[in-house]
Amino acid sequence: MSRLDWAVVLAYLGATLVLGLWMARRGARSLVDFFVGGRGIPWWLAASSMAATTFNVDTPLYVAGRVARAGVAGNWEWWCFALAHVLLAVALAKLWRRASVMTDLELTELRYGGRPAAVLRAGRAFLFAVPLNCISIGYGMLAMRKVLQGLGLLEGAVHLPGDPRLWALMPIVMVTLVYTAVAGLWGVVVTDLLQYVLALAGAFLVAGYALHEVGGLGALTAQLRAAGQGARLDLLPHGSDALVPLSTMTGYLMVQWWAFRNSDGGGMFVQRLSATAGEREATRAAHLFNLLNYVVRTWPWVLVGLAALVLVPGLADPELAYPVLMRRFLPPGLLGLVFASLLAAFMSTVSTQINWGASYLVHDLYARFGPPRDEATLLRAARWASIGLTLLAAGLSFTMADVGEVFRFLILIGNGPGLVLLLRWFWWRVNAWAELSAMAAALGLALVSYTSWFEGMGFGGRLWFTALGTLAVWLPVMLLTPPERPEVLEGFYRRVRPGGAWGPQQRATGLAPLDSLRRDVGRWMLWSAATLGAMLAVGAALLR
């Protein structure tokens, strides 16, 4: 890193901080402003923020690692979530916006009633805001540490306990915390737009220079095939030399996307959709996110991962391929720009997770279960919650080692409750006990799958085990416990009026559903084919 590179990085950090603080006037008036932007965020800004949130600094490292270990088809580990995200766009975004909630957990006490609903809301709020959220933030810090390692920065510097590279991240984390705690969601989404554009530009730059060094796309694919690594170019695994086992691939496509706890959108996406002006804007935001996330940004990372197999073969840690290629081939100035783009990816995700986690702690715990408090008190609590979550996540990050392994662990411990979260929108019989038992069973089975009894089980087998095991728990629990009270179900139906199995509520209220579930399923199939088809068509054209 030259002085010019560091000047570019400092200019980016300064611009982000100024932009975030400038938005403070829009996020400091009430909790609605702080957590859902006063419900006035444009759909395109919400979409870019959703895309920036999922574009963490870990993503190019994770993709390079997947390509090295399982080829291009290994990316179905995250491509499969397109099926859930398309369902969000065609069927669920409008329902979330119609529900007019501040957090997705607020829906719990609209859909269910009594003590079980309150316990479920409080339990999920703490579990997702503190341990799971802090693991996710710490996992991003781990990826940023690997970037510093790949760039050869700060080796042997900073005589403090633990990894010096993690201590070096703390100023970046503090900058992120300042504008997030002061400006709320407006500060997050506006800086997210800058960060997404910069992060995407950085990905294209690294891919371009890597391809230039290897001799172009044609030379890259030819060299891989000549080296006997042609199977790594497959978009879908097939044949005896497939790098992704059949059980794992079927687990991705037939289980993971609907069983995962974010199958209905997840808290961070629901926050963005709830911040838009209406149902139409929420639907547009979800569709644009799918385009940005799967069609636009997939291939720069994949190409860098493939180029690394030729340019830096045999890396002990293939997740370091991205920063190693940056260091070797980018000229001064551009190296700083791409490093700033990775900082942008890191900061966009961390700012979202801080704000989202604080919304659970304040709105779903502190305000819901404590005595009445005024807006000024709640805003102070939101800022203190932001600080606390950041410090806890920073401490956890010192204990992590492998980006891909942490990613798969987070998937497994959330694999199972997704079907309940989907069905609660479309079937009146789902009750709070079903969701409670699904959440507990999924967490327990995921932890059991890491014991010595399941040592030989692959990731695909664990997906099937946790999903079907969770189903075997929550379905009997639901059938053996009474349904929600009629007044609770009718109140929810009046507010949202979803399609599906709501016959008793339709007759009791005299209101027809606003949506057709059959039509939405047809649209989901068409849009899924279009989204994944466009993504694979781009890949087929690039990889010949």
Side-chain angles (χ1 to χ4, degrees):
M1 293 277 287
S2 66
R3 290 184 178 179
L4 177 60
D5 294 318
W6 285 115
V8 172
V9 170
L10 291 175
Y12 157 72
L13 291 174
T16 301
L17 183 59
V18 169
L19 185 60
L21 293 178
W22 181 67
M23 299 306 299
R25 57 192 176 86
R26 305 199 63 167
R29 295 172 293 191
S30 68
L31 277 193
V32 173
D33 291 326
F34 194 85
F35 289 132
V36 288
R39 304 196 192 278
I41 291 177
W43 63 272
W44 52 269
L45 191 56
S48 64
S49 180
M50 291 161 67
T53 295
T54 56
F55 190 166
N56 198 352
V57 66
D58 67 274
T59 315
L61 278 67
Y62 159 78
V63 171
R66 290 304 294 157
V67 169
R69 296 178 178 119
V72 175
N75 288 280
W76 283 103
E77 189 169 84
W78 66 278
W79 286 347
C80 67
F81 288 116
L83 297 172
H85 290 145
V86 171
L87 183 62
L88 177 67
V90 301
L92 297 176
K94 57 190 175 184
L95 301 180
W96 278 116
R97 188 60 188 85
R98 207 176 292 161
S100 193
V101 292
M102 189 180 299
T103 68
D104 61 316
L105 297 186
E106 186 180 344
L107 185 80
T108 304
E109 291 191 285
L110 295 177
R111 177 60 178 81
Y112 313 125
R115 186 178 296 273
V119 170
L120 178 61
R121 183 177 182 180
R124 289 189 69 194
F126 177 79
L127 178 65
F128 294 151
V130 183
L132 294 184
N133 189 37
C134 289
I135 289 174
S136 296
I137 297 174
Y139 148 76
M141 293 180 183
L142 163 66
M144 198 68 232
R145 179 183 72 187
K146 288 200 171 190
V147 169
L148 296 179
Q149 179 182 346
L151 292 176
L153 300 176
L154 307 175
E155 296 292 346
V158 190
H159 298 290
L160 291 169
D163 192 323
R165 289 174 293 270
L166 276 172
W167 287 106
L169 288 182
M170 293 306 109
I172 311 300
V173 174
M174 290 301 106
V175 169
T176 308
L177 176 60
V178 167
Y179 71 77
T180 303
V182 170
L185 188 63
W186 268 106
V188 173
V189 297
V190 170
T191 55
D192 274 353
L193 177 61
L194 168 65
Q195 289 160 348
Y196 178 75
V197 172
L198 183 58
L200 194 61
F204 277 103
L205 278 171
V206 176
Y209 272 86
L211 288 175
H212 175 74
E213 290 297 326
V214 85
L217 277 170
L220 172 62
T221 56
Q223 289 182 57
L224 288 173
R225 291 191 175 98
Q229 301 191 67
R232 295 187 184 278
L233 301 173
D234 292 341
L235 300 178
L236 289 165
H238 64 275
S240 59
D241 59 347
L243 299 176
V244 178
L246 180 61
S247 63
T248 300
M249 188 65 185
T250 55
Y252 294 156
L253 294 179
M254 299 178 64
V255 176
Q256 183 172 298
W257 69 269
W258 58 260
F260 190 54
R261 59 182 169 84
N262 286 342
S263 61
D264 65 340
M268 288 181 280
F269 282 11
V270 170
Q271 184 186 35
R272 302 302 189 277
L273 300 177
S274 297
T276 59
E279 297 172 36
R280 187 177 181 183
E281 287 74 14
T283 299
R284 284 180 172 181
H287 276 300
L288 180 57
F289 161 75
N290 287 327
L291 174 65
L292 296 175
N293 191 57
Y294 295 103
V295 180
V296 174
R297 74 176 197 178
T298 286
W299 295 106
W301 302 329
V302 170
L303 294 177
V304 170
L306 291 172
L309 297 174
V310 174
L311 296 171
V312 285
L315 279 177
D317 184 353
E319 291 178 348
L320 291 176
Y322 196 90
V324 167
L325 293 183
M326 286 171 53
R327 180 183 181 181
R328 288 198 182 184
F329 303 122
L330 293 180
L334 284 184
L335 177 59
L337 182 64
V338 176
F339 181 49
S341 77
L342 292 177
L343 291 178
F346 171 69
M347 293 168 69
S348 65
T349 303
V350 169
S351 63
T352 289
Q353 290 174 305
I354 292 171
N355 185 265
W356 165 66
S359 74
Y360 279 9
L361 292 179
V362 176
H363 183 63
D364 295 300
L365 285 175
Y366 185 64
R368 165 62 182 85
F369 295 101
R373 296 174 174 89
D374 58 29
E375 287 289 336
T377 302
L378 293 176
L379 279 172
R380 283 195 299 273
R383 294 187 171 104
W384 280 112
S386 301
I387 294 170
L389 288 172
T390 305
L391 294 177
L392 180 57
L396 282 175
S397 67
F398 281 81
T399 68
M400 300 178 186
D402 186 277
V403 170
E405 187 60 33
V406 176
F407 179 78
R408 283 181 283 279
F409 175 73
L410 289 173
I411 288 177
L412 276 178
I413 62 176
N415 192 57
L419 186 58
V420 181
L421 300 180
L422 290 174
L423 288 178
R424 66 182 178 176
W425 290 101
F426 307 111
W427 186 20
W428 68 271
R429 186 60 180 84
V430 175
N431 60 14
W433 291 110
E435 193 171 328
L436 273 168
S437 59
M439 185 176 72
L443 180 59
L445 291 172
L447 295 176
V448 166
S449 74
Y450 276 92
T451 63
S452 58
W453 298 343
F454 298 88
E455 191 172 350
M457 181 179 287
F459 184 66
R462 286 190 171 100
L463 289 175
W464 284 100
F465 171 70
T466 52
L468 297 182
T470 302
L471 178 64
V473 171
W474 72 258
L475 189 57
V477 167
M478 182 189 73
L479 297 176
L480 292 172
T481 52
E484 298 298 332
R485 300 191 310 272
E487 60 269 24
V488 174
L489 295 171
E490 290 165 17
F492 175 78
Y493 180 77
R494 283 192 184 94
R495 186 162 181 168
V496 181
R497 292 171 66 181
W502 290 92
Q505 291 71 39
Q506 292 176 30
R507 291 189 292 272
T509 62
L511 298 172
L514 295 176
D515 309 300
S516 166
L517 181 57
R518 178 178 298 179
R519 184 184 63 225
D520 284 345
V521 168
R523 293 171 63 224
W524 169 71
M525 295 173 68
L526 289 173
W527 275 104
S528 294
T531 302
L532 289 174
M535 183 190 74
L536 294 176
V538 173
L542 291 171
L543 302 178
R544 315 295 170 87

